[in-house]
Amino acid sequence: MSEPHIKREDSPGAEARREDLLQYGDSLQPDDDRYPNRPHNHSTTLLFSELFRCFFNPLSEVKAQPAVLGPARLKAGFGPGSSRLSPHDQRRAIIQRFISRWRTEVGNDFYPALRLILPDKDRDRSVYGLKENTIGKLLVKLMKIDKNSEDGFNLIHWKLPGQSVISRMAGDFAGRCYEVLAKRPLLTEVGDLRIGQVNALLDKLADASGESEQLPIFETFYEHMNPEELTWLIRIILKQMKIGATYAGFAGSSTTRKFD
């Protein structure tokens, strides 16, 4: 009786191979030359929505917890023998849980997710050249908003306080975008873009020159993401994640191979 076929890391499935080509280019040989022991995924990457629901949002909730220092830590239930996890341990648990799931469901190449988690450390992707004001103007055109309307004004003049609770927070551009996007969603449920597809589109965006090339890419994102996904995408583009995840949290593992 023949042994059952087992997927191995050096034999990715057809879909995973296609996604590899989508993310890393038509030829993987240069990348394999630089990283001869580069891991491969046996399956396609997770949906982008899983990244924000199971990683970004939980880390943001931990970061929002008030800091507890000194003797107050013991009163709050932290310390030796306590079953309550400190914020640091909570972050570590979230990171480890997500990486473990990735390795089980996708494979050992965590780099596609890491590029979105630590966009400021990504050396392979070109600079977008997009600031808040430019993104605001692109969104105004994309959603066909009158630039002189309240929402149009709030997007373009994002540094000024707005009228609503969210937009009163001057300087929170991503929050301002969410407020406007939530009024005009093409999707209310999460979209169908996978992390590999998002990376490929972001590579195109980084290579795009001018509004005529940038706008169609934003349109693709808009058609396949709900407002919360788009808000996280904007944070990735601006490299302003603010979720408490750092390079040190991943250093020492194979996940950082191309960031070193």
Side-chain angles (χ1 to χ4, degrees):
M1 183 176 178
S2 61
E3 294 183 358
H5 174 70
I6 299 175
K7 285 185 178 179
R8 301 184 184 279
E9 289 302 316
D10 57 353
S11 301
E15 287 296 324
R17 178 68 180 178
R18 277 194 287 271
E19 194 176 50
D20 245 10
L21 292 172
L22 180 68
Q23 295 182 91
Y24 300 134
D26 294 333
S27 173
L28 296 177
Q29 191 60 44
D31 197 60
D32 288 336
D33 288 342
R34 287 173 63 195
Y35 308 101
N37 298 318
R38 185 175 75 86
H40 294 276
N41 290 327
H42 54 71
S43 301
T44 53
T45 55
L46 297 176
L47 290 170
F48 179 75
S49 58
E50 291 300 295
L51 184 59
F52 88 79
R53 289 197 297 194
C54 301
F55 195 86
F56 293 158
N57 284 355
L59 284 179
S60 296
E61 291 170 5
V62 172
K63 193 171 187 295
Q65 295 177 13
V68 183
L69 304 174
R73 285 178 56 82
L74 296 178
K75 291 183 179 180
F78 302 123
S82 172
S83 60
R84 186 177 178 186
L85 294 178
S86 67
H88 172 77
D89 289 336
Q90 290 178 53
R91 283 193 295 272
R92 184 169 60 182
I94 292 167
I95 292 171
Q96 290 177 344
R97 183 165 58 246
F98 191 80
I99 291 177
S100 177
R101 178 187 173 189
W102 182 281
R103 286 176 172 164
T104 300
E105 298 182 20
V106 181
N108 284 335
D109 184 9
F110 191 67
Y111 180 62
L114 203 59
R115 298 183 80 185
L116 305 182
I117 294 169
L118 301 174
D120 57 316
K121 301 297 183 183
D122 188 355
R123 298 175 183 175
D124 285 342
R125 183 170 289 139
S126 304
V127 177
Y128 298 109
L130 290 169
K131 298 296 184 183
E132 289 89 344
N133 190 54
T134 305
I135 294 175
K137 290 179 180 178
L138 285 169
L139 292 178
V140 165
K141 284 204 169 185
L142 178 64
M143 292 183 281
K144 297 179 173 58
I145 303 172
D146 182 349
K147 65 179 181 180
N148 296 315
S149 67
E150 181 181 344
D151 285 343
F153 184 88
N154 283 340
L155 279 176
I156 296 173
H157 303 279
W158 60 279
K159 290 185 178 181
L160 299 176
Q163 299 300 316
S164 68
V165 174
I166 297 177
S167 61
R168 284 194 200 109
M169 297 174 62
D172 180 17
F173 179 71
R176 190 73 61 92
C177 290
Y178 176 79
E179 183 182 48
V180 176
L181 288 163
K183 295 178 183 178
R184 304 166 178 84
L186 286 187
L187 296 181
T188 53
E189 300 298 323
V190 294
D192 58 359
L193 287 180
R194 295 190 174 275
I195 287 171
Q197 294 171 303
V198 172
N199 272 315
L201 286 167
L202 287 176
D203 286 339
K204 287 184 179 180
L205 184 63
D207 293 336
S209 177
E211 183 183 288
S212 61
E213 295 182 8
Q214 295 163 344
L215 194 58
I217 300 170
F218 269 86
E219 186 174 5
T220 300
F221 283 129
Y222 185 53
E223 291 172 348
H224 292 273
M225 290 182 169
N226 71 7
E228 190 170 6
E229 289 176 281
L230 287 164
T231 302
W232 280 113
L233 177 79
I234 290 167
R235 291 188 176 118
I236 290 169
I237 292 171
L238 294 173
K239 303 181 180 182
Q240 298 174 0
M241 300 304 290
K242 300 178 182 179
I243 55 175
T246 63
Y247 177 82
F250 296 92
S253 71
S254 61
T255 60
T256 59
R257 74 189 191 287
K258 293 180 75 173
F259 284 72
D260 293 328

